[in-house]
Amino acid sequence: MTQERTKLWYLKNLDIFSRLTEEQYKLIDKLAAMRPVKKGEVLYFQGATDKKFYMLKKGAVKITKLTSHGNEIILDIFSGVTLFGEIGVLNPQERDESAVVVEDGLICTMTKEDFEKLVQMIPGLVIKMTKIIGLRRWKIENKLLGLLYRTVEQRLAITFLNLLDDFSIPRGDGYLLKIKLTHKDFADLVASTRETVTVTLNKLKSEGLIDFEDKYLVIKQVDRIRSLAE
Amino acid sequence: MTQERTKLWYLKNLDIFSRLTEEQYKLIDKLAAMRPVKKGEVLYFQGATDKKFYMLKKGAVKITKLTSHGNEIILDIFSGVTLFGEIGVLNPQERDESAVVVEDGLICTMTKEDFEKLVQMIPGLVIKMTKIIGLRRWKIENKLLGLLYRTVEQRLAITFLNLLDDFSIPRGDGYLLKIKLTHKDFADLVASTRETVTVTLNKLKSEGLIDFEDKYLVIKQVDRIRSLAE
DNA sequence: CTCTGACAGTAATGGACATTACATTTATAT
DNA sequence: ATATAAATGTAATGTCCATTACTGTCAGAG
């Protein structure tokens, strides 16, 4: 657990574009096309072959994967300034995930060609990105591992804790998750069904562990959620 | 599926030590300590902080992880010439997996210090290793994803197909898996229990999809196994 | 060679949850 | 403002499978 937190901390604080010269920043700014994105917009689809990578400036994005059975699983949801979709420029091939905007925001994109120009100018950039990818994949692997051997209730508890990292706002004794997720979203996060999530969420609410405030989830008793997740 | 095969092919054919000079080979040979290992030997434990990486020359190794509930899951089993445990030299931290020998073989180890000497001599080595790691993690992520949403029977079918990549020997119309795995091993591979595996394996046997030959598993009807796995 | 521990077979029981099938409420688009 | 779609609530039914509790079998160690 301590180890995990350390790694996540590292991921969050890995600033790929730190310690650059003013010129370099300008170059990046010139090469990266920024545009506003709205909730629901699909940035790229599983199977796409675009050679771009993405930087999230504002808003939130989910990375999803469609299984052969038609189940959609959400591998990751994140907000804040970060980069994703790097496979498009580092090792281009069919994307095996989709990226969907879950909260209006700002996105920058950069083509492989421009990225390669950048790499010439900024040594060490590839290494940094590689580390970020590695940590993100590690996070996802751990998430999936956490879903096995656990009940839906426990999986939800884990998911709440994960979401706290990126979306928490203090609210009374607990935290409000500043991201609107449907029961279907939760189901896709924990590899379950919408109906089961509805029931489980309401059970947790009736037990006082969580609550809802204007469609936002409030984690009222973080400690009890944590002990559920083990 | 096609995509998957391509990636795995790539992993298998990624030769980290290709196109080296005679001198470089000698250097590697000098730095890497080779030793025979026996079935059951633990190469490193989850939580270990050794700064080494490993090369498998002969035999087979499994990478396992112990969950907080005491369940052991086998993330990967592999044979042939490959490397593993790279985290020990690339980004040293507590190992979060264990490596156990499942078939007698030969292992080389190299310390972080010696590895760094080698990196000086062989440019591009780190990049190559990074790719190998990335592909291996991708394989594991996909394996875990494949376990969700599926019955134990289907999970076993997937596992058989995965094992075919590394351990298959033609036998009649099908293939013999040249690796001895207990029912417990299979249970750990598919995140189930020993009892359920026993029952399911015998069901598949009675249906003629698989058979046993001297404790080795024989996949008799690969196509039916494949359609089970979907 | 036989003893012991690891491995395998079997079956009953109950719990978790997907599935199905609606009813009801809440958004959002025109 | 109203229609249509999306999201949520609820309950019954059945399946899959972990769990428990055994018995039987095999292989390697002494």
Side-chain angles (χ1 to χ4, degrees), chain A residues 121-135:
Chain A
M121 314 290 295
I122 309 174
L125 187 59
V126 172
I127 301 283
K128 276 188 187 173
M129 281 183 73
T130 304
K131 280 200 173 170
I132 293 180
I133 301 172
L135 283 165

Side-chain angles (χ1 to χ4, degrees), chain B residues 32-207:
Chain B
M34 185 156 87
R35 72 166 202 277
V37 289
K38 292 200 84 66
K39 185 174 175 173
E41 182 174 340
V42 179
L43 298 170
Y44 53 80
F45 276 105
Q46 201 168 342
T49 54
D50 65 290
K51 294 184 177 57
K52 289 194 288 192
F53 89 97
Y54 296 74
M55 287 169 278
L56 178 65
K57 293 282 178 82
K58 196 164 162 291
V61 167
K62 68 176 174 184
I63 304 297
T64 70
K65 195 161 176 171
L66 210 63
T67 71
S68 49
H69 288 321
N71 298 301
E72 187 181 339
I73 183 159
I74 299 178
L75 296 177
D76 202 3
I77 297 191
F78 47 81
S79 70
V81 178
T82 187
L83 84 171
F84 62 99
E86 338 74 9
I87 198 92
V89 298
L90 285 185
N91 193 25
Q93 56 199 214
E94 272 199 5
R95 295 187 182 276
D96 51 29
E97 308 162 344
S98 303
V100 183
V101 177
V102 287
E103 254 181 13
D104 295 3
L106 286 169
I107 299 270
C108 288
T109 56
M110 196 181 288
T111 64
K112 183 169 157 60
E113 289 71 38
D114 287 341
F115 174 71
E116 273 155 7
K117 278 183 210 159
L118 206 60
V119 166
Q120 301 293 325
M121 314 292 295
I122 308 175
L125 186 59
V126 173
I127 302 282
K128 276 188 188 173
M129 279 183 74
T130 305
K131 281 201 171 170
I132 293 180
I133 300 170
L135 284 165
R136 199 191 296 291
R137 295 334 290 192
W138 175 87
K139 187 180 158 194
I140 291 174
E141 187 180 312
N142 263 82
K143 175 220 168 76
L144 293 176
L145 224 31
L147 294 182
L148 300 169
Y149 307 111
R150 282 190 165 90
T151 65
V152 169
E153 188 178 64
Q154 296 172 319
R155 295 185 225 172
L156 279 171
I158 295 178
T159 303
F160 296 161
L161 296 175
N162 287 157
L163 290 170
L164 278 179
D165 283 340
D166 262 44
F167 301 98
S168 73
I169 292 178
R171 174 67 89 259
D173 295 337
Y175 299 92
L176 180 142
L177 288 180
K178 192 92 188 85
I179 181 174
K180 272 184 180 149
L181 296 170
T182 65
H183 291 187
K184 170 69 164 57
D185 286 330
F186 277 112
D188 293 344
L189 275 164
V190 300
S192 176
T193 61
R194 205 269 310 156
E195 293 83 347
T196 302
V197 165
T198 297
V199 170
T200 310
L201 244 28
N202 287 331
K203 182 186 167 237
L204 290 173
K205 184 187 172 187
S206 77
E207 290 169 353

Side-chain angles (χ1 to χ4, degrees), chain A residues 7 93 96 137-138 141, chain B residues 7 93 96 137-138 141:
Chain A
K7 276 195 181 176
Q93 54 199 217
D96 51 29
R137 296 332 291 191
W138 175 86
E141 187 180 312
Chain B
K7 276 197 182 174
Q93 56 199 214
D96 51 29
R137 295 334 290 192
W138 175 87
E141 187 180 312

